[in-house]
Amino acid sequence: MKVDVHAQGFPLTEALTEHTERRLRFALKHAADRVQRVSVRLADVNGPRGGVDKKCSVHITVSGAPDIVTEDTEADMYVAINRAVDRVGRTVLRRMTQ
């Protein structure tokens, strides 16, 4: 499973990258053999103005199934990552059991 993490509007830290990859590997461990690629986009929509503007978009390519895309926007980037990854993990599991 190849994971790409990119940031828009702020510098991507190693801590954010490691957190994102760790959460993805845990959420997708039941489907790791079918997940081909994961692309994560992290963005600070409003920049320095603040507010609920930390966005995490996750795009997953799964063999033999349509791509899965989910996103979440929160005040804290770690919360946005956790919620988006949890959602995509549930979606992958649901699609595999159909």
Side-chain angles (χ1 to χ4, degrees), residues 5-78:
V5 181
H6 301 280
Q8 297 172 322
F10 69 97
L12 182 62
T13 64
E14 189 172 324
L16 271 175
T17 302
E18 288 176 3
H19 177 77
T20 303
E21 290 177 356
R22 185 174 54 251
R23 294 285 301 172
L24 281 165
R25 292 191 195 292
F26 179 78
L28 300 174
K29 66 182 174 192
H30 57 277
D33 58 331
R34 295 196 51 203
V35 175
Q36 297 174 332
R37 182 182 175 103
V38 181
S39 178
V40 180
R41 301 275 185 243
L42 305 175
D44 187 355
V45 180
N46 292 333
R49 293 182 298 188
V52 180
D53 66 338
K54 309 303 188 278
K55 182 176 175 181
C56 175
S57 301
V58 181
H59 184 142
I60 296 183
T61 303
V62 181
S63 61
D67 288 1
I68 299 168
V69 179
T70 188
E71 65 181 40
D72 198 83
T73 304
E74 299 290 334
D76 182 89
M77 183 60 77
Y78 287 93

